[in-house]
Amino acid sequence: MDFKGQECHGGKDPKDRITVLTCANMDGRHKLPLFVIGKFKTPRCFKGVRKLPVKYQANSKAWMTAGIFTEWLQDFHKMMCRQKRKVLLTLDNCTAHPKVDNLKAVELLFLPPNTTSKFQPCDMGIINNLKCHYRETLLKRIINHVDEGNDFDNFKLTQLDAVIILKQAWEKVEPATIKNCFKKAGFQASETETEGENEIEAVDTDVQPFLSCLLVEYGIPDSLDDLENLDAPSPPEEMNPSTTDSERENQTEQAADDEDDQGEEMPPVRDESVASAMETLHRLISS
């Protein structure tokens, strides 16, 4: 094994390569097993291995071909039919991704030419994150190899080692990363999903949503510099349009009773107390 930019001595530059296909849904909860394409159907390192941690196919150049992709897509379609799901599959526009008909559970969406880097979620960070985790695990193996007293030049990485590390790296790609990459590519969640996420965030952030509502409802300024322009909220001119006439009379009588119960007028609020309360409020929001 040689690193990029390293000169090769006493032999030829290694030309071993593999192609990896990644596929995940929009929220990152469902990641398909990686699909790996190598140069040899049964490499020596695969001998004695009953089941690989990834799906594997062979090609003389370790490239994706129309035939290999069609076979993968048909298997994917069968899986979606078994799960009774209908999905939209976003694909790059290239000759290795042919149009396949008679797919009832899968609809293909081919991106316009030369737009992969702008609209393909996998190219917005998912693949890069996978590579980062792969390199991290690889470097740890090299360090352990050297720490055990072995020579660095004797370190070897087989194709079996590569697919094992790839599987581990794919497991480390977080759903939040995948979701953010889809969002960056312009894919938006439905209103139902968004409402559910907001409910979860409201529970996690505890007091934050309540304070934010206060800021919006009562016009509390974002900074103390705007305190001079702060006006007391005026009473509503009209009652709730859905309120009946009898309910309006009850609300009016209740408001009059509340004024009678208050007795003496409340002392005016001083600017110093308002400023102190504002500082406390902003500390809670920023904490």
Side-chain angles (χ1 to χ4, degrees):
M1 183 191 73
D2 292 328
F3 288 98
K4 183 178 180 181
Q6 181 180 353
E7 295 183 0
C8 179
H9 300 283
K12 297 181 180 180
D13 289 332
K15 296 182 179 180
D16 298 335
R17 65 171 66 90
I18 57 177
T19 298
V20 182
L21 182 148
T22 60
C23 183
N25 73 330
M26 185 173 170
D27 60 8
R29 292 183 298 176
H30 302 284
K31 295 185 294 184
L32 292 185
L34 294 177
F35 183 64
V36 179
I37 304 174
K39 296 179 64 176
F40 305 101
K41 186 175 181 179
T42 55
R44 292 181 180 179
C45 57
F46 286 4
K47 186 177 181 180
V49 179
R50 294 183 178 181
K51 185 178 181 181
L52 292 174
V54 298
K55 292 186 176 182
Y56 182 81
Q57 275 281 15
N59 176 270
S60 59
K61 295 184 178 181
W63 288 350
M64 175 65 76
T65 64
I68 293 178
F69 178 78
T70 301
E71 184 178 349
W72 176 88
L73 183 58
Q74 290 174 347
D75 292 339
F76 175 70
H77 176 258
K78 293 178 182 178
M79 181 175 61
M80 294 297 101
C81 290
R82 289 194 301 267
Q83 298 178 2
K84 297 181 179 181
R85 298 171 59 188
K86 291 185 178 181
V87 298
L88 176 68
L89 188 63
T90 306
L91 298 172
D92 301 336
N93 196 330
C94 67
T95 55
H97 297 159
K99 184 178 180 181
V100 181
D101 299 325
N102 300 324
L103 298 177
K104 298 180 180 180
V106 180
E107 182 178 349
L108 303 181
L109 173 63
F110 292 93
L111 298 176
N114 304 321
T115 59
T116 300
S117 60
K118 297 181 179 179
F119 301 114
Q120 176 55 270
C122 288
D123 282 80
M124 306 300 286
I126 297 176
I127 295 177
N128 182 63
N129 191 249
L130 173 65
K131 290 181 177 180
C132 289
H133 290 302
Y134 178 88
R135 292 167 181 164
E136 179 185 7
T137 304
L138 177 59
L139 289 176
K140 287 181 179 179
R141 285 199 175 197
I142 296 175
I143 293 173
N144 292 335
H145 176 79
V146 176
D147 288 343
E148 292 174 358
N150 301 314
D151 191 356
F152 171 76
D153 295 333
N154 295 330
F155 180 81
K156 294 182 179 180
L157 185 74
T158 66
Q159 190 167 317
L160 179 61
D161 295 329
V163 296
I164 292 176
I165 296 176
L166 277 171
K167 178 182 180 297
Q168 297 172 350
W170 186 233
E171 292 175 349
K172 293 180 180 179
V173 178
E174 297 291 339
T177 301
I178 298 175
K179 183 177 179 180
N180 290 335
C181 291
F182 270 89
K183 185 177 180 180
K184 186 178 180 181
F187 292 83
Q188 298 294 334
S190 61
E191 296 181 358
T192 304
E193 294 176 351
T194 305
E195 292 175 358
E197 293 170 2
N198 292 337
E199 292 176 1
I200 296 175
E201 292 177 357
V203 174
D204 293 340
T205 53
D206 196 7
V207 74
Q208 178 71 18
F210 172 72
L211 295 178
S212 301
C213 291
L214 288 180
L215 292 174
V216 176
E217 183 70 20
Y218 296 101
I220 298 178
D222 294 336
S223 63
L224 294 179
D225 297 335
D226 301 331
L227 186 60
E228 297 179 356
N229 300 325
L230 179 64
D231 295 329
S234 57
E237 297 178 358
E238 297 180 359
M239 295 185 179
N240 193 326
S242 61
T243 305
T244 61
D245 294 338
S246 59
E247 291 176 344
R248 292 177 183 176
E249 293 177 359
N250 294 334
Q251 291 178 1
T252 305
E253 294 176 358
Q254 183 64 34
D257 293 341
D258 293 340
E259 292 179 358
D260 295 339
D261 294 339
Q262 289 179 359
E264 298 180 359
E265 296 182 357
M266 296 293 293
V269 180
R270 297 181 179 180
D271 293 342
E272 294 81 359
S273 59
V274 176
S276 176
M278 281 296 302
E279 292 177 354
T280 304
L281 181 60
H282 278 279
R283 283 198 302 269
L284 288 174
I285 295 175
S286 60
S287 61

